[in-house]
Amino acid sequence: MHRRLFTVALLAVVSMDAKAEVKSVDAKEFTVSHSLTVDQSPENTYQIMVNQVHEWWNGEHSWSGDASNLYIKVELGGCFCERLPGGGAVEHLRIIYFVPNEIIKFDGALGPLQNMALQGRMNWQIKPSEAGTTISFKYMVHGHLASGFEGLAPAVDGVIGEQLQRLRSRVAAE
């Protein structure tokens, strides 16, 4: 019980300077946006983001349930992918634009969004700031969802926000 209360309190403190929100939602699309600042250089932050994704992405938000199966191949057309048991694999996102230490733009539908008639564009931006580095994640999803996006957008927002908080913790451990 104490451990749970500590975790809730810690998340509340850690989230204080993070900016997160569902930017827009309508019948055909939604956009979620998150940003926070870490006390590391853009170069160190970028290296952790792309080379150690398995250390900060929650395995509960993967097909295999094991974050150690996640990897990012940073090149044009490169993959944010996951190895699956039995020799299978899944592509979560594909890199369509990148500038090392500054930005990566991905195309694709994360997780259960792959089972829907949806498409997404995710941007990771890394900028120097007075306090170190500001990291921003923006995920824009569009398509057809009979039930609408009002219920889906907050759930996706929560998952993206969780990953960014985990990234912050991983970067802080450097």
mmCIF file of all heavy atoms in Angstrom, residues 47-91:
data_model
loop_
_atom_site.group_PDB
_atom_site.id
_atom_site.type_symbol
_atom_site.label_atom_id
_atom_site.label_comp_id
_atom_site.label_asym_id
_atom_site.label_seq_id
_atom_site.Cartn_x
_atom_site.Cartn_y
_atom_site.Cartn_z
ATOM 1 N N GLN A 47 20.168 9.648 -28.024
ATOM 2 C CA GLN A 47 20.746 8.306 -28.002
ATOM 3 C C GLN A 47 19.919 7.353 -27.141
ATOM 4 O O GLN A 47 19.703 6.198 -27.518
ATOM 5 C CB GLN A 47 22.202 8.347 -27.527
ATOM 6 C CG GLN A 47 23.151 8.989 -28.508
ATOM 7 C CD GLN A 47 23.107 8.319 -29.873
ATOM 8 O OE1 GLN A 47 23.145 7.100 -29.994
ATOM 9 N NE2 GLN A 47 23.010 9.122 -30.923
ATOM 10 N N ILE A 48 19.464 7.824 -26.008
ATOM 11 C CA ILE A 48 18.615 6.999 -25.140
ATOM 12 C C ILE A 48 17.286 6.714 -25.834
ATOM 13 O O ILE A 48 16.792 5.582 -25.814
ATOM 14 C CB ILE A 48 18.404 7.684 -23.777
ATOM 15 C CG1 ILE A 48 19.725 7.695 -22.994
ATOM 16 C CG2 ILE A 48 17.289 6.988 -22.985
ATOM 17 C CD1 ILE A 48 19.725 8.590 -21.785
ATOM 18 N N MET A 49 16.716 7.735 -26.459
ATOM 19 C CA MET A 49 15.431 7.561 -27.129
ATOM 20 C C MET A 49 15.491 6.478 -28.200
ATOM 21 O O MET A 49 14.606 5.620 -28.270
ATOM 22 C CB MET A 49 14.962 8.880 -27.745
ATOM 23 C CG MET A 49 14.554 9.919 -26.717
ATOM 24 S SD MET A 49 14.219 11.538 -27.436
ATOM 25 C CE MET A 49 12.648 11.230 -28.247
ATOM 26 N N VAL A 50 16.510 6.518 -29.029
ATOM 27 C CA VAL A 50 16.544 5.614 -30.185
ATOM 28 C C VAL A 50 17.287 4.301 -29.929
ATOM 29 O O VAL A 50 16.925 3.275 -30.493
ATOM 30 C CB VAL A 50 17.109 6.305 -31.450
ATOM 31 C CG1 VAL A 50 16.244 7.504 -31.838
ATOM 32 C CG2 VAL A 50 18.547 6.713 -31.290
ATOM 33 N N ASN A 51 18.306 4.314 -29.091
ATOM 34 C CA ASN A 51 19.108 3.107 -28.884
ATOM 35 C C ASN A 51 18.693 2.295 -27.667
ATOM 36 O O ASN A 51 19.149 1.161 -27.512
ATOM 37 C CB ASN A 51 20.592 3.456 -28.776
ATOM 38 C CG ASN A 51 21.129 4.004 -30.080
ATOM 39 O OD1 ASN A 51 20.737 3.575 -31.154
ATOM 40 N ND2 ASN A 51 22.018 4.979 -29.976
ATOM 41 N N GLN A 52 17.872 2.887 -26.815
ATOM 42 C CA GLN A 52 17.486 2.190 -25.587
ATOM 43 C C GLN A 52 15.976 2.200 -25.382
ATOM 44 O O GLN A 52 15.496 2.220 -24.248
ATOM 45 C CB GLN A 52 18.223 2.808 -24.405
ATOM 46 C CG GLN A 52 19.722 2.657 -24.550
ATOM 47 C CD GLN A 52 20.501 3.475 -23.546
ATOM 48 O OE1 GLN A 52 19.963 3.999 -22.586
ATOM 49 N NE2 GLN A 52 21.798 3.572 -23.761
ATOM 50 N N VAL A 53 15.222 2.192 -26.462
ATOM 51 C CA VAL A 53 13.755 2.230 -26.368
ATOM 52 C C VAL A 53 13.243 1.096 -25.491
ATOM 53 O O VAL A 53 12.266 1.268 -24.754
ATOM 54 C CB VAL A 53 13.086 2.245 -27.762
ATOM 55 C CG1 VAL A 53 13.315 0.942 -28.510
ATOM 56 C CG2 VAL A 53 11.603 2.571 -27.659
ATOM 57 N N HIS A 54 13.921 -0.023 -25.512
ATOM 58 C CA HIS A 54 13.513 -1.173 -24.700
ATOM 59 C C HIS A 54 13.640 -0.900 -23.196
ATOM 60 O O HIS A 54 13.048 -1.603 -22.386
ATOM 61 C CB HIS A 54 14.336 -2.415 -25.078
ATOM 62 C CG HIS A 54 15.797 -2.236 -24.866
ATOM 63 N ND1 HIS A 54 16.593 -1.511 -25.738
ATOM 64 C CD2 HIS A 54 16.603 -2.664 -23.866
ATOM 65 C CE1 HIS A 54 17.828 -1.508 -25.276
ATOM 66 N NE2 HIS A 54 17.864 -2.202 -24.150
ATOM 67 N N GLU A 55 14.402 0.136 -22.841
ATOM 68 C CA GLU A 55 14.585 0.477 -21.429
ATOM 69 C C GLU A 55 13.573 1.500 -20.923
ATOM 70 O O GLU A 55 13.477 1.711 -19.718
ATOM 71 C CB GLU A 55 16.005 0.997 -21.197
ATOM 72 C CG GLU A 55 17.053 -0.074 -21.401
ATOM 73 C CD GLU A 55 18.459 0.423 -21.135
ATOM 74 O OE1 GLU A 55 18.641 1.588 -20.698
ATOM 75 O OE2 GLU A 55 19.406 -0.352 -21.370
ATOM 76 N N TRP A 56 12.857 2.160 -21.822
ATOM 77 C CA TRP A 56 11.899 3.153 -21.344
ATOM 78 C C TRP A 56 10.470 2.922 -21.835
ATOM 79 O O TRP A 56 9.524 3.432 -21.233
ATOM 80 C CB TRP A 56 12.369 4.582 -21.657
ATOM 81 C CG TRP A 56 12.603 4.912 -23.091
ATOM 82 C CD1 TRP A 56 13.774 4.808 -23.780
ATOM 83 C CD2 TRP A 56 11.648 5.431 -24.032
ATOM 84 N NE1 TRP A 56 13.610 5.210 -25.075
ATOM 85 C CE2 TRP A 56 12.311 5.614 -25.261
ATOM 86 C CE3 TRP A 56 10.296 5.770 -23.945
ATOM 87 C CZ2 TRP A 56 11.681 6.111 -26.389
ATOM 88 C CZ3 TRP A 56 9.660 6.264 -25.076
ATOM 89 C CH2 TRP A 56 10.355 6.430 -26.279
ATOM 90 N N TRP A 57 10.268 2.179 -22.896
ATOM 91 C CA TRP A 57 8.890 1.902 -23.351
ATOM 92 C C TRP A 57 8.333 0.772 -22.492
ATOM 93 O O TRP A 57 8.999 -0.234 -22.268
ATOM 94 C CB TRP A 57 8.899 1.492 -24.820
ATOM 95 C CG TRP A 57 7.542 1.544 -25.443
ATOM 96 C CD1 TRP A 57 6.598 0.559 -25.426
ATOM 97 C CD2 TRP A 57 6.972 2.626 -26.170
ATOM 98 N NE1 TRP A 57 5.480 0.968 -26.106
ATOM 99 C CE2 TRP A 57 5.682 2.237 -26.565
ATOM 100 C CE3 TRP A 57 7.438 3.897 -26.523
ATOM 101 C CZ2 TRP A 57 4.839 3.070 -27.305
ATOM 102 C CZ3 TRP A 57 6.604 4.717 -27.255
ATOM 103 C CH2 TRP A 57 5.323 4.315 -27.637
ATOM 104 N N ASN A 58 7.122 0.912 -22.016
ATOM 105 C CA ASN A 58 6.503 -0.086 -21.164
ATOM 106 C C ASN A 58 6.116 -1.315 -21.989
ATOM 107 O O ASN A 58 5.341 -1.214 -22.945
ATOM 108 C CB ASN A 58 5.262 0.501 -20.491
ATOM 109 C CG ASN A 58 4.652 -0.419 -19.464
ATOM 110 O OD1 ASN A 58 4.928 -1.616 -19.417
ATOM 111 N ND2 ASN A 58 3.804 0.152 -18.626
ATOM 112 N N GLY A 59 6.643 -2.463 -21.608
ATOM 113 C CA GLY A 59 6.350 -3.704 -22.307
ATOM 114 C C GLY A 59 4.880 -4.079 -22.305
ATOM 115 O O GLY A 59 4.420 -4.844 -23.152
ATOM 116 N N GLU A 60 4.111 -3.527 -21.357
ATOM 117 C CA GLU A 60 2.666 -3.776 -21.344
ATOM 118 C C GLU A 60 1.998 -3.178 -22.578
ATOM 119 O O GLU A 60 0.887 -3.562 -22.924
ATOM 120 C CB GLU A 60 2.037 -3.207 -20.075
ATOM 121 C CG GLU A 60 2.446 -3.951 -18.819
ATOM 122 C CD GLU A 60 1.830 -3.373 -17.565
ATOM 123 O OE1 GLU A 60 0.859 -2.585 -17.665
ATOM 124 O OE2 GLU A 60 2.317 -3.707 -16.477
ATOM 125 N N HIS A 61 2.668 -2.252 -23.226
ATOM 126 C CA HIS A 61 2.146 -1.620 -24.440
ATOM 127 C C HIS A 61 2.942 -2.114 -25.646
ATOM 128 O O HIS A 61 3.428 -1.334 -26.462
ATOM 129 C CB HIS A 61 2.189 -0.097 -24.318
ATOM 130 C CG HIS A 61 1.352 0.400 -23.186
ATOM 131 N ND1 HIS A 61 -0.024 0.328 -23.186
ATOM 132 C CD2 HIS A 61 1.697 0.930 -21.999
ATOM 133 C CE1 HIS A 61 -0.488 0.808 -22.051
ATOM 134 N NE2 HIS A 61 0.538 1.187 -21.313
ATOM 135 N N SER A 62 3.070 -3.428 -25.705
ATOM 136 C CA SER A 62 3.718 -4.085 -26.831
ATOM 137 C C SER A 62 2.946 -5.358 -27.126
ATOM 138 O O SER A 62 2.162 -5.830 -26.292
ATOM 139 C CB SER A 62 5.187 -4.404 -26.503
ATOM 140 O OG SER A 62 5.269 -5.421 -25.521
ATOM 141 N N TRP A 63 3.159 -5.920 -28.308
ATOM 142 C CA TRP A 63 2.462 -7.158 -28.677
ATOM 143 C C TRP A 63 3.014 -8.352 -27.907
ATOM 144 O O TRP A 63 2.277 -9.262 -27.545
ATOM 145 C CB TRP A 63 2.558 -7.408 -30.182
ATOM 146 C CG TRP A 63 1.761 -6.428 -30.978
ATOM 147 C CD1 TRP A 63 2.256 -5.402 -31.725
ATOM 148 C CD2 TRP A 63 0.339 -6.361 -31.107
ATOM 149 N NE1 TRP A 63 1.225 -4.694 -32.316
ATOM 150 C CE2 TRP A 63 0.031 -5.268 -31.951
ATOM 151 C CE3 TRP A 63 -0.712 -7.108 -30.590
ATOM 152 C CZ2 TRP A 63 -1.263 -4.911 -32.289
ATOM 153 C CZ3 TRP A 63 -2.011 -6.747 -30.926
ATOM 154 C CH2 TRP A 63 -2.279 -5.667 -31.758
ATOM 155 N N SER A 64 4.310 -8.362 -27.652
ATOM 156 C CA SER A 64 4.927 -9.508 -26.972
ATOM 157 C C SER A 64 4.827 -9.418 -25.457
ATOM 158 O O SER A 64 5.038 -10.408 -24.769
ATOM 159 C CB SER A 64 6.404 -9.608 -27.372
ATOM 160 O OG SER A 64 7.134 -8.503 -26.849
ATOM 161 N N GLY A 65 4.542 -8.223 -24.936
ATOM 162 C CA GLY A 65 4.517 -8.024 -23.493
ATOM 163 C C GLY A 65 5.891 -7.882 -22.879
ATOM 164 O O GLY A 65 6.039 -7.858 -21.671
ATOM 165 N N ASP A 66 6.914 -7.746 -23.729
ATOM 166 C CA ASP A 66 8.298 -7.700 -23.263
ATOM 167 C C ASP A 66 9.039 -6.576 -23.994
ATOM 168 O O ASP A 66 9.334 -6.698 -25.184
ATOM 169 C CB ASP A 66 8.960 -9.047 -23.542
ATOM 170 C CG ASP A 66 10.384 -9.138 -23.016
ATOM 171 O OD1 ASP A 66 10.942 -8.116 -22.552
ATOM 172 O OD2 ASP A 66 10.945 -10.247 -23.092
ATOM 173 N N ALA A 67 9.342 -5.514 -23.281
ATOM 174 C CA ALA A 67 9.994 -4.356 -23.897
ATOM 175 C C ALA A 67 11.360 -4.688 -24.487
ATOM 176 O O ALA A 67 11.825 -3.992 -25.394
ATOM 177 C CB ALA A 67 10.131 -3.219 -22.881
ATOM 178 N N SER A 68 11.998 -5.755 -24.017
ATOM 179 C CA SER A 68 13.315 -6.091 -24.566
ATOM 180 C C SER A 68 13.224 -6.485 -26.042
ATOM 181 O O SER A 68 14.250 -6.552 -26.718
ATOM 182 C CB SER A 68 13.982 -7.202 -23.755
ATOM 183 O OG SER A 68 13.298 -8.430 -23.926
ATOM 184 N N ASN A 69 12.039 -6.721 -26.542
ATOM 185 C CA ASN A 69 11.850 -7.057 -27.962
ATOM 186 C C ASN A 69 11.717 -5.823 -28.858
ATOM 187 O O ASN A 69 11.641 -5.953 -30.076
ATOM 188 C CB ASN A 69 10.608 -7.937 -28.133
ATOM 189 C CG ASN A 69 10.814 -9.314 -27.561
ATOM 190 O OD1 ASN A 69 11.871 -9.909 -27.703
ATOM 191 N ND2 ASN A 69 9.803 -9.824 -26.885
ATOM 192 N N LEU A 70 11.678 -4.640 -28.274
ATOM 193 C CA LEU A 70 11.521 -3.400 -29.040
ATOM 194 C C LEU A 70 12.868 -2.858 -29.506
ATOM 195 O O LEU A 70 13.859 -2.948 -28.782
ATOM 196 C CB LEU A 70 10.834 -2.333 -28.187
ATOM 197 C CG LEU A 70 9.413 -2.656 -27.726
ATOM 198 C CD1 LEU A 70 8.965 -1.636 -26.684
ATOM 199 C CD2 LEU A 70 8.455 -2.690 -28.904
ATOM 200 N N TYR A 71 12.872 -2.272 -30.699
ATOM 201 C CA TYR A 71 14.085 -1.625 -31.202
ATOM 202 C C TYR A 71 13.701 -0.595 -32.267
ATOM 203 O O TYR A 71 12.621 -0.646 -32.847
ATOM 204 C CB TYR A 71 15.071 -2.650 -31.779
ATOM 205 C CG TYR A 71 14.558 -3.386 -33.000
ATOM 206 C CD1 TYR A 71 14.850 -2.930 -34.288
ATOM 207 C CD2 TYR A 71 13.782 -4.527 -32.869
ATOM 208 C CE1 TYR A 71 14.374 -3.604 -35.404
ATOM 209 C CE2 TYR A 71 13.309 -5.208 -33.976
ATOM 210 C CZ TYR A 71 13.605 -4.742 -35.243
ATOM 211 O OH TYR A 71 13.121 -5.406 -36.339
ATOM 212 N N ILE A 72 14.620 0.338 -32.479
ATOM 213 C CA ILE A 72 14.445 1.354 -33.522
ATOM 214 C C ILE A 72 15.673 1.303 -34.424
ATOM 215 O O ILE A 72 16.807 1.398 -33.952
ATOM 216 C CB ILE A 72 14.287 2.765 -32.921
ATOM 217 C CG1 ILE A 72 13.029 2.824 -32.042
ATOM 218 C CG2 ILE A 72 14.215 3.814 -34.034
ATOM 219 C CD1 ILE A 72 12.853 4.135 -31.291
ATOM 220 N N LYS A 73 15.442 1.177 -35.709
ATOM 221 C CA LYS A 73 16.511 1.231 -36.702
ATOM 222 C C LYS A 73 16.435 2.622 -37.329
ATOM 223 O O LYS A 73 15.537 2.906 -38.120
ATOM 224 C CB LYS A 73 16.332 0.144 -37.755
ATOM 225 C CG LYS A 73 17.481 0.059 -38.718
ATOM 226 C CD LYS A 73 17.346 -1.145 -39.623
ATOM 227 C CE LYS A 73 18.579 -1.248 -40.509
ATOM 228 N NZ LYS A 73 18.486 -2.414 -41.387
ATOM 229 N N VAL A 74 17.367 3.491 -36.945
ATOM 230 C CA VAL A 74 17.313 4.883 -37.369
ATOM 231 C C VAL A 74 17.941 5.039 -38.747
ATOM 232 O O VAL A 74 19.164 5.065 -38.898
ATOM 233 C CB VAL A 74 17.990 5.818 -36.348
ATOM 234 C CG1 VAL A 74 17.877 7.265 -36.805
ATOM 235 C CG2 VAL A 74 17.371 5.652 -34.970
ATOM 236 N N GLU A 75 17.080 5.104 -39.736
ATOM 237 C CA GLU A 75 17.426 5.396 -41.127
ATOM 238 C C GLU A 75 16.112 5.695 -41.831
ATOM 239 O O GLU A 75 15.035 5.344 -41.326
ATOM 240 C CB GLU A 75 18.146 4.221 -41.785
ATOM 241 C CG GLU A 75 17.327 2.962 -41.856
ATOM 242 C CD GLU A 75 18.094 1.782 -42.441
ATOM 243 O OE1 GLU A 75 19.309 1.656 -42.183
ATOM 244 O OE2 GLU A 75 17.465 0.997 -43.162
ATOM 245 N N LEU A 76 16.184 6.337 -42.953
ATOM 246 C CA LEU A 76 14.973 6.610 -43.715
ATOM 247 C C LEU A 76 14.315 5.286 -44.058
ATOM 248 O O LEU A 76 14.966 4.378 -44.583
ATOM 249 C CB LEU A 76 15.300 7.396 -44.987
ATOM 250 C CG LEU A 76 14.116 8.058 -45.678
ATOM 251 C CD1 LEU A 76 13.364 8.983 -44.746
ATOM 252 C CD2 LEU A 76 14.596 8.814 -46.899
ATOM 253 N N GLY A 77 13.046 5.119 -43.717
ATOM 254 C CA GLY A 77 12.353 3.856 -43.889
ATOM 255 C C GLY A 77 12.606 2.892 -42.746
ATOM 256 O O GLY A 77 12.073 1.782 -42.740
ATOM 257 N N GLY A 78 13.415 3.321 -41.779
ATOM 258 C CA GLY A 78 13.731 2.474 -40.632
ATOM 259 C C GLY A 78 12.512 2.219 -39.780
ATOM 260 O O GLY A 78 11.489 2.889 -39.884
ATOM 261 N N CYS A 79 12.652 1.267 -38.921
ATOM 262 C CA CYS A 79 11.504 0.715 -38.213
ATOM 263 C C CYS A 79 11.593 0.902 -36.707
ATOM 264 O O CYS A 79 12.639 0.672 -36.113
ATOM 265 C CB CYS A 79 11.467 -0.782 -38.546
ATOM 266 S SG CYS A 79 10.033 -1.660 -37.982
ATOM 267 N N PHE A 80 10.494 1.313 -36.084
ATOM 268 C CA PHE A 80 10.281 1.139 -34.660
ATOM 269 C C PHE A 80 9.528 -0.180 -34.610
ATOM 270 O O PHE A 80 8.340 -0.251 -34.915
ATOM 271 C CB PHE A 80 9.458 2.282 -34.090
ATOM 272 C CG PHE A 80 9.174 2.196 -32.606
ATOM 273 C CD1 PHE A 80 8.697 3.299 -31.944
ATOM 274 C CD2 PHE A 80 9.370 1.044 -31.861
ATOM 275 C CE1 PHE A 80 8.414 3.266 -30.586
ATOM 276 C CE2 PHE A 80 9.107 0.984 -30.507
ATOM 277 C CZ PHE A 80 8.609 2.106 -29.868
ATOM 278 N N CYS A 81 10.228 -1.257 -34.295
ATOM 279 C CA CYS A 81 9.708 -2.612 -34.466
ATOM 280 C C CYS A 81 9.810 -3.418 -33.179
ATOM 281 O O CYS A 81 10.407 -2.985 -32.200
ATOM 282 C CB CYS A 81 10.474 -3.327 -35.573
ATOM 283 S SG CYS A 81 10.131 -2.674 -37.210
ATOM 284 N N GLU A 82 9.253 -4.616 -33.280
ATOM 285 C CA GLU A 82 9.255 -5.530 -32.155
ATOM 286 C C GLU A 82 9.393 -6.963 -32.665
ATOM 287 O O GLU A 82 8.711 -7.362 -33.601
ATOM 288 C CB GLU A 82 7.927 -5.378 -31.412
ATOM 289 C CG GLU A 82 7.739 -6.271 -30.247
ATOM 290 C CD GLU A 82 6.414 -6.017 -29.535
ATOM 291 O OE1 GLU A 82 5.665 -5.097 -29.919
ATOM 292 O OE2 GLU A 82 6.135 -6.765 -28.584
ATOM 293 N N ARG A 83 10.278 -7.694 -32.021
ATOM 294 C CA ARG A 83 10.416 -9.122 -32.304
ATOM 295 C C ARG A 83 9.313 -9.860 -31.547
ATOM 296 O O ARG A 83 9.034 -9.534 -30.390
ATOM 297 C CB ARG A 83 11.774 -9.634 -31.841
ATOM 298 C CG ARG A 83 12.929 -9.090 -32.636
ATOM 299 C CD ARG A 83 14.271 -9.504 -31.985
ATOM 300 N NE ARG A 83 15.315 -8.579 -32.355
ATOM 301 C CZ ARG A 83 15.577 -7.408 -31.765
ATOM 302 N NH1 ARG A 83 14.875 -7.014 -30.733
ATOM 303 N NH2 ARG A 83 16.545 -6.629 -32.192
ATOM 304 N N LEU A 84 8.705 -10.844 -32.200
ATOM 305 C CA LEU A 84 7.653 -11.633 -31.564
ATOM 306 C C LEU A 84 8.125 -13.065 -31.350
ATOM 307 O O LEU A 84 8.985 -13.556 -32.088
ATOM 308 C CB LEU A 84 6.387 -11.632 -32.427
ATOM 309 C CG LEU A 84 5.744 -10.272 -32.656
ATOM 310 C CD1 LEU A 84 4.561 -10.406 -33.612
ATOM 311 C CD2 LEU A 84 5.296 -9.650 -31.335
ATOM 312 N N PRO A 85 7.566 -13.745 -30.373
ATOM 313 C CA PRO A 85 7.925 -15.152 -30.155
ATOM 314 C C PRO A 85 7.676 -15.967 -31.426
ATOM 315 O O PRO A 85 6.787 -15.665 -32.213
ATOM 316 C CB PRO A 85 6.981 -15.597 -29.031
ATOM 317 C CG PRO A 85 6.578 -14.331 -28.343
ATOM 318 C CD PRO A 85 6.579 -13.269 -29.409
ATOM 319 N N GLY A 86 8.490 -16.980 -31.622
ATOM 320 C CA GLY A 86 8.329 -17.855 -32.772
ATOM 321 C C GLY A 86 8.883 -17.282 -34.061
ATOM 322 O O GLY A 86 8.588 -17.774 -35.145
ATOM 323 N N GLY A 87 9.677 -16.214 -33.963
ATOM 324 C CA GLY A 87 10.301 -15.644 -35.153
ATOM 325 C C GLY A 87 9.495 -14.562 -35.852
ATOM 326 O O GLY A 87 9.902 -14.071 -36.896
ATOM 327 N N GLY A 88 8.358 -14.186 -35.308
ATOM 328 C CA GLY A 88 7.537 -13.137 -35.912
ATOM 329 C C GLY A 88 8.054 -11.749 -35.582
ATOM 330 O O GLY A 88 9.034 -11.578 -34.851
ATOM 331 N N ALA A 89 7.395 -10.748 -36.143
ATOM 332 C CA ALA A 89 7.769 -9.353 -35.902
ATOM 333 C C ALA A 89 6.571 -8.457 -36.195
ATOM 334 O O ALA A 89 5.642 -8.852 -36.897
ATOM 335 C CB ALA A 89 8.946 -8.953 -36.787
ATOM 336 N N VAL A 90 6.611 -7.255 -35.654
ATOM 337 C CA VAL A 90 5.580 -6.257 -35.936
ATOM 338 C C VAL A 90 6.252 -4.898 -36.103
ATOM 339 O O VAL A 90 7.195 -4.566 -35.384
ATOM 340 C CB VAL A 90 4.504 -6.202 -34.821
ATOM 341 C CG1 VAL A 90 5.090 -5.833 -33.480
ATOM 342 C CG2 VAL A 90 3.369 -5.247 -35.189
ATOM 343 N N GLU A 91 5.792 -4.152 -37.085
ATOM 344 C CA GLU A 91 6.241 -2.780 -37.281
ATOM 345 C C GLU A 91 5.228 -1.866 -36.597
ATOM 346 O O GLU A 91 4.055 -1.866 -36.955
ATOM 347 C CB GLU A 91 6.297 -2.454 -38.769
ATOM 348 C CG GLU A 91 6.671 -1.002 -39.038
ATOM 349 C CD GLU A 91 6.661 -0.684 -40.525
ATOM 350 O OE1 GLU A 91 7.545 -1.177 -41.230
ATOM 351 O OE2 GLU A 91 5.740 0.042 -40.959
#
